[in-house]
Amino acid sequence: MRIVFLGAAKTVTGSMFLLETDSGNVLVDCGFFQGRRQKSKELNRDLPSKVFDADLMVLTHAHIDHSGSTPTLVKRGFKGPIYTTPATADLCQHMFRDSARIQQHDAEYLNRKNSDDPDWEKLEPLYTEKDAISALKQMVTYHYWRSFEPLPGVRIVFHDAGHVLGSACVLIEAEGKKVLFSGDIGRRNMPILRDPEVPANVDYVVMESTYGDREHGAIESTRAELARIINETAARGGKVIIPSFALERTQEVVLGLNHLRKDGKIEDIPIYVDSPLATNLTHVFKNHPECYDDGAISFLQEHGDPFGFDTLTYTSSVQESIALNTAKGPMVIISASGMCEAGRIVHHLRNNIESPDNSIVIVGFQAQHTLGRRLVERRDRVKIFGVPRDLRARVEVLNGFSAHAGRASLIKFAKLAGPDHKKVFLVHGEEKSQVSLAEALQKRNMNVVIPSRCQIETLD
Ligand SMILES: [Zn+2]
């Protein structure tokens, strides 16, 4: 048995691993690379030829850096089943189609803009909404803990990863060995989802390491910080702009604001979720209470909808979104994309970044070379739509909302998956974080490998 590390190797995005067994090959995730535009574009366009050796695919969760290239794979001839959880399949309905629409829109825009240039090579989207729907047709769903045998002698089971709705750690048993693909690992004691669970007695662990060198703030103090920022900004008459991932983070922030309002910790100011994708995904959350933890189920029973309240508006039309540009504060605007690279958030940043009355609240991980990272670094000037803008709004970074396990939990995860595993492969992390985590695991006598892209490892 062998693993080929096709993506998320020494980097945070582009999850893609091929497990080759005697009875067939399993592709685990097929995600987008994100980061430097040109490089990511090439990597997403030129899928490694090895992915087409897959007989079936398993998808750990709906985040685009794990799922985004699946429609490309199907468009280029992959006919096998794509196994995942029911909630992930429902989220992918929206994630895939949204991704296709963005690509189609960007290609049309750039083709139009460069229509006078005789050397302009016409851009094509990687996939269209129709291709995205074709990929959805190949999905086969299994709930957590229901094992299935898609190839003779290859048994697969999803365990709850507690990271985003429907997220799974995938345990694959073949040739007398157990291989665990962690996907992204969630945090304990977070709202909405159950805590991550770790299968024991695993032989090989392929584990994420996004926060391998850091811990996060506690969710309670993070909510208190958010309340402080909202109240201070409201007192200045400003707007609070929250770039947020449409999946999970938006719902966590909304639930947090719902709690703060109920407890009288924030003023009653208008709150907008201005992202069609986030709105659609929130509907999926409402349809999958089987993924909730006890706290979210109690909230549902006592107060009704955790993701809706009087002062909250989910905007739908473009006109409603544009109207927010001229609307006077105070108000809170939650919008996507989470790393500020595309979508309505870029417009809100452009319109609000130059006023010191406003606050920009960063609630998620910001990869290198993204506008979000430049905001975290509090650069004096940042380019938005190619135009330099002064960064005068206050930038506040809240780490407590992270959906990723921190360093101590990652160490614990690796330990619990043992005790006698042969190797831990660290993936899905920047180098500094991976090296730091590797050292910590080696100190605990674990055999750790940080694979490079396209590295092949034999599991004997
Ligand atoms: Zn994720």
Side-chain angles (χ1 to χ4, degrees):
M1 196 156 47
R2 307 193 309 171
I3 305 183
V4 191
F5 294 87
L6 297 169
K10 298 188 178 171
T11 181
V12 175
T13 61
S15 267
M16 210 181 287
F17 315 104
L18 189 73
L19 183 73
E20 300 176 330
T21 78
D22 286 343
S23 38
N25 300 329
V26 181
L27 179 66
V28 179
D29 287 348
C30 195
F32 267 157
F33 286 89
Q34 294 164 311
R36 277 189 201 280
R37 287 223 181 110
Q38 194 52 36
K39 183 77 184 150
S40 320
K41 225 165 98 183
E42 285 164 18
L43 286 168
N44 293 332
R45 188 191 55 207
D46 308 326
L47 288 187
S49 57
K50 271 262 168 209
V51 292
F52 297 99
D53 292 348
D55 297 292
L56 61 108
M57 181 182 155
V58 183
L59 178 59
T60 61
H61 65 289
H63 270 149
I64 210 76
D65 57 329
H66 292 255
S67 69
S69 283
T70 310
T72 315
L73 181 76
V74 170
K75 183 183 176 184
R76 297 192 188 159
F78 173 73
K79 298 263 185 287
I82 300 164
Y83 294 98
T84 193
T85 63
T88 299
D90 284 353
L91 291 168
C92 284
Q93 289 242 11
H94 300 292
M95 301 295 281
F96 289 1
R97 290 166 61 201
D98 181 78
S99 166
R101 283 194 292 258
I102 290 172
Q103 294 176 49
Q104 284 173 277
H105 175 271
D106 287 355
E108 280 163 22
Y109 170 78
L110 288 168
N111 289 337
R112 212 170 39 241
K113 201 174 152 196
N114 293 285
S115 58
D116 293 340
D117 181 352
D119 297 327
W120 176 254
E121 241 177 80
K122 207 167 164 245
L123 285 179
E124 294 285 342
L126 285 170
Y127 51 85
T128 62
E129 199 168 352
K130 200 171 157 224
D131 301 320
I133 292 168
S134 298
L136 296 167
K137 287 182 195 162
Q138 284 171 230
M139 287 197 164
V140 179
T141 62
Y142 279 91
H143 278 284
Y144 297 117
W145 316 298
R146 298 261 170 203
S147 84
F148 55 100
E149 194 174 335
L151 294 167
V154 177
R155 189 154 278 288
I156 299 180
V157 62
F158 297 136
H159 290 268
D160 199 337
H163 166 64
V164 298
L165 194 85
S167 63
C169 298
V170 179
L171 182 65
I172 304 181
E173 256 188 281
E175 298 170 27
K177 291 173 203 78
K178 287 183 181 177
V179 188
L180 178 65
F181 292 86
S182 76
D184 284 347
I185 304 166
R187 293 175 64 191
R188 303 181 71 74
N189 304 319
M190 288 296 282
I192 309 176
L193 303 178
R194 291 182 290 266
D195 289 345
E197 38 166 46
V198 194
N201 302 315
V202 170
D203 298 296
Y204 294 93
V205 187
V206 179
M207 194 175 102
E208 71 122 323
S209 50
T210 317
Y211 285 92
D213 58 346
R214 274 162 293 168
E215 294 295 347
H216 312 289
I219 187 72
E220 292 78 16
S221 55
T222 303
R223 280 188 187 161
E225 272 286 275
L226 182 60
R228 174 191 62 77
I229 297 162
I230 290 173
N231 291 331
E232 285 177 9
T233 312
R236 297 194 298 269
K239 293 181 183 172
V240 177
I241 309 293
I242 309 182
S244 173
F245 297 109
L247 171 53
E248 196 72 32
R249 191 59 37 83
T250 295
Q251 292 78 24
E252 277 175 14
V253 171
V254 165
L255 181 62
L257 293 170
N258 200 350
H259 277 287
L260 291 172
R261 258 188 78 258
K262 281 203 189 330
D263 299 343
K265 301 267 173 62
I266 54 170
E267 316 232 345
D268 248 350
I269 60 172
I271 296 168
Y272 296 93
V273 172
D274 186 31
S275 155
L277 178 61
T279 302
N280 285 330
L281 297 178
T282 307
H283 282 297
V284 179
F285 272 69
K286 292 180 188 187
N287 290 335
H288 285 280
E290 82 280 7
C291 297
Y292 293 1
D293 65 3
D294 291 344
I297 291 170
S298 305
F299 192 98
L300 181 72
Q301 284 172 333
E302 283 169 38
H303 307 286
D305 185 3
F307 309 109
F309 47 88
D310 302 349
T311 49
L312 174 69
T313 307
Y314 290 89
T315 62
S316 49
S317 67
V318 175
Q319 286 72 21
E320 274 180 86
S321 175
I322 292 171
L324 294 177
N325 295 342
T326 48
K328 294 269 172 280
M331 65 172 69
V332 177
I333 301 173
I334 304 161
S335 189
S337 75
M339 297 195 201
C340 315
E341 284 292 280
R344 292 184 182 177
I345 188 64
V346 191
H347 295 269
H348 293 303
L349 288 170
R350 179 188 61 190
N351 293 328
N352 294 292
I353 198 168
E354 295 193 306
S355 165
D357 291 340
N358 299 330
S359 301
I360 299 167
V361 185
I362 303 290
V363 293
F365 181 80
Q366 305 298 319
Q368 285 174 347
H369 317 297
T370 60
L371 173 57
R373 178 66 79 95
R374 290 180 200 110
L375 294 174
V376 169
E377 290 165 357
R378 297 186 174 83
R379 305 260 178 107
D380 292 338
R381 273 164 94 69
V382 293
K383 265 192 185 173
I384 301 182
F385 293 128
V387 179
R389 304 264 170 191
D390 290 334
L391 173 53
R392 292 205 195 95
R394 297 181 191 204
V395 178
E396 309 260 7
V397 180
L398 300 183
N399 286 319
F401 278 113
S402 176
H404 285 270
R407 177 182 168 88
S409 302
L410 290 172
I411 294 170
K412 199 169 161 193
F413 186 97
K415 260 168 74 178
L416 288 174
D420 301 317
H421 42 54
K422 297 178 178 166
K423 257 181 207 170
V424 178
F425 300 102
L426 295 184
V427 295
H428 210 280
E430 286 175 4
E431 201 179 346
K432 183 170 153 278
S433 167
Q434 294 194 311
V435 169
S436 165
L437 181 62
E439 284 169 3
L441 298 180
Q442 280 154 351
K443 264 190 212 152
R444 290 163 177 82
N445 299 320
M446 292 185 218
N447 188 359
V448 185
V449 176
I450 302 176
S452 305
R453 188 156 179 267
C454 294
Q455 188 166 323
I456 297 174
E457 285 278 330
T458 303
L459 312 183
D460 42 27

